[in-house]
Amino acid sequence: AQRVTQPEKLLSVFKGAPVELKCNYSYSGSPELFWYVQYSRQRLQLLLRHISRESIKGFTADLNKGETSFHLKKPFAQEEDSAMYYCALVQGAQKLVFGQGTRLTINP
Amino acid sequence: DTGVSQDPRHKITKRGQNVTFRCDPISEHNRLYWYRQTLGQGPEFLTYFQNEAQLEKSRLLSDRFSAERPKGSFSTLEIQRTEQGDSAMYLCASSFGTVSYEQYFGPGTRLTVT
């Protein structure tokens, strides 16, 4: 079964420090992976997708098929990065399968 | 068009009552999805529509749940004989085209069953 695992429910780092949110997946075939973010009192929104290889708000994520990982990284955390982050994959080019989420807190 | 909207935003109901939620997708989007999110979990897929056709339903969607999208625009999700385990955030999302790489989410309806 397709599954997304985010091993850290909570992650706290200081402003200016590097951030890495971990995501591992199980999927038979070539996965399409995404990171969604939910800021306080806002709706869930797409942050980035691996297929576009973009950098959004300084975040990047590289798909590592050997390790079945799609970790989200940012070299220098900012306070406005505090949010809930969800890793997800598309199953059957239709529905999203989400991980449990990681709550990132950036301390001043 | 300000994005996907959902109504109501909050619903408190007694066990055994029926509830209905509405989702209005972004107007040109032909795909509409329902997800459920419980505390501490990521959203879980319930069902999706392409235009008015309901193409997939999750095993999570018991026979007490029914969803419709009668004219391919807004959708309703009805829960009959609610149970306390139905308490959750119900999220609606929409996307355009047959490759649903970007789904736009609504604010959700928070259901509390007492």
Side-chain angles (χ1 to χ4, degrees), chain B residues 5 7 35 38 41 45 47-48 56-57 61 64 74 78 81:
Chain B
S5 61
D7 184 69
Y35 293 85
T38 53
Q41 302 296 320
F45 171 80
T47 188
Y48 94 95
E56 187 173 347
K57 294 197 293 186
L61 216 65
R64 296 184 298 106
F74 74 91
E78 181 183 15
R81 306 180 303 281

Side-chain angles (χ1 to χ4, degrees), chain B residues 11-113:
Chain B
K11 179 72 177 177
I12 300 174
T13 190
K14 293 184 188 298
R15 186 162 53 98
Q17 297 294 304
N18 299 343
V19 295
T20 300
F21 310 141
R22 177 180 170 123
C23 170
D24 286 89
I26 293 170
S27 57
E28 64 268 26
H29 285 185
N30 59 342
R31 285 197 168 191
L32 186 148
Y33 310 80
W34 286 98
Y35 293 85
R36 181 171 70 186
Q37 185 174 24
T38 53
L39 202 60
Q41 302 296 320
E44 295 174 290
F45 171 80
L46 291 178
T47 188
Y48 94 95
F49 293 84
Q50 181 161 309
N51 300 312
E52 64 275 9
Q54 188 174 17
L55 296 186
E56 187 173 347
K57 294 197 293 186
S58 161
R59 286 173 294 177
L60 292 175
L61 216 65
S62 76
D63 55 7
R64 296 184 298 106
F65 287 71
S66 62
E68 294 182 341
R69 194 182 183 199
K71 296 181 182 178
S73 56
F74 74 91
S75 175
T76 58
L77 178 68
E78 181 183 15
I79 309 174
Q80 296 183 324
R81 306 180 303 281
T82 52
E83 301 172 356
Q84 287 190 318
D86 297 331
S87 295
M89 177 74 88
Y90 289 84
L91 296 169
C92 176
S94 69
S95 68
F96 177 72
T98 56
V99 179
S100 308
Y101 287 157
E102 183 159 4
Q103 296 184 19
Y104 294 80
F105 282 81
T109 294
R110 182 169 295 284
L111 173 66
T112 303
V113 182

Side-chain angles (χ1 to χ4, degrees), chain A residues 16-63:
Chain A
V19 174
E20 183 179 52
L21 290 87
K22 291 184 168 50
C23 172
N24 289 89
Y25 66 89
S26 61
Y27 187 82
S28 52
S30 295
E32 295 292 345
L33 284 147
F34 308 85
W35 278 97
Y36 276 78
V37 62
Q38 187 167 27
Y39 300 103
S40 179
R41 301 182 189 279
Q42 294 188 26
R43 62 188 66 191
L44 200 58
Q45 59 186 286
L46 180 66
L47 179 62
L48 58 80
R49 52 194 176 199
H50 94 272
I51 197 170
S52 63
R53 304 185 66 81
E54 297 172 299
S55 171
I56 306 293
K57 299 185 179 183
F59 284 98
T60 58
D62 290 319
L63 179 61

